[in-house]
Amino acid sequence: MKRVFIAGDAYTTHFFDLALDQDEELSLLPSLQVASYHVARFALIMRDDGLRGLGIFPGDALLISDFSMEPVKDRPVLIRQEGQFLVRIAADVNPLECLFTTTREQDTPLLLPSENIRITGVVSGIIPRSSS
């Protein structure tokens, strides 16, 4: 088994702060046990229901990896813009602009210039709140 540290809370509805600058600081946080083969660098606790359509519910732990061997299109990703973060589904990623969505119809898709954002992680696993 491997320990994955819980770096904070995640939202699809608004940008949030996340202190990821120091890996040493992550080791002071609570952690989850995951399979040793998992490539997650840290975990976030989902705090809204913007990914409910993917089976991700408030309280579930999102395992975040630095990379993905598969394309990120149509997958939940961690986006950084001006030092803040957001978890959304990568609906379209291209060199000019990127479109990010949720699974809730009332949430407006977010179109951002590619030069202003960075996809800093990919949701590579989910631990339901009942098993964390």
Side-chain angles (χ1 to χ4, degrees):
M1 297 296 277
K2 167 182 164 179
R3 283 178 40 193
V4 175
F5 299 100
I6 302 170
D9 294 335
Y11 300 90
T12 61
T13 54
H14 63 276
F15 281 90
F16 56 92
D17 293 320
L18 196 56
L20 293 178
D21 298 336
Q22 303 287 338
D23 279 338
E24 301 85 42
E25 290 178 14
L26 285 177
S27 67
L28 301 174
L29 298 172
S31 63
L32 301 168
Q33 293 285 343
V34 299
S36 57
Y37 60 82
H38 207 289
V39 295
R41 180 171 159 234
F42 59 90
L44 298 171
I45 303 300
M46 194 74 229
R47 294 298 180 199
D48 64 35
D49 63 353
L51 300 177
R52 184 176 293 272
L54 298 177
I56 301 171
F57 302 96
D60 289 353
L62 306 178
L63 301 177
I64 307 293
S65 299
D66 290 334
F67 64 91
S68 173
M69 299 300 282
E70 301 168 11
V72 297
K73 183 175 177 353
D74 298 326
R75 293 185 58 199
V77 296
L78 179 64
I79 308 153
R80 184 183 77 208
Q81 180 183 37
E82 298 178 8
Q84 291 196 306
F85 295 84
L86 183 72
V87 174
R88 286 248 173 151
I89 300 165
D92 184 25
V93 178
N94 66 64
L96 295 178
E97 55 192 14
C98 299
L99 182 67
F100 300 102
T101 63
T102 70
T103 61
R104 296 180 340 159
E105 286 186 25
Q106 66 264 35
D107 292 336
T108 304
L110 188 59
L111 185 64
L112 299 170
S114 295
E115 64 189 26
N116 293 345
I117 61 111
R118 179 171 299 246
I119 295 175
T120 59
V122 179
V123 175
S124 57
I126 300 142
I127 299 176
R129 81 174 151 232
S130 59
S131 61
S132 51

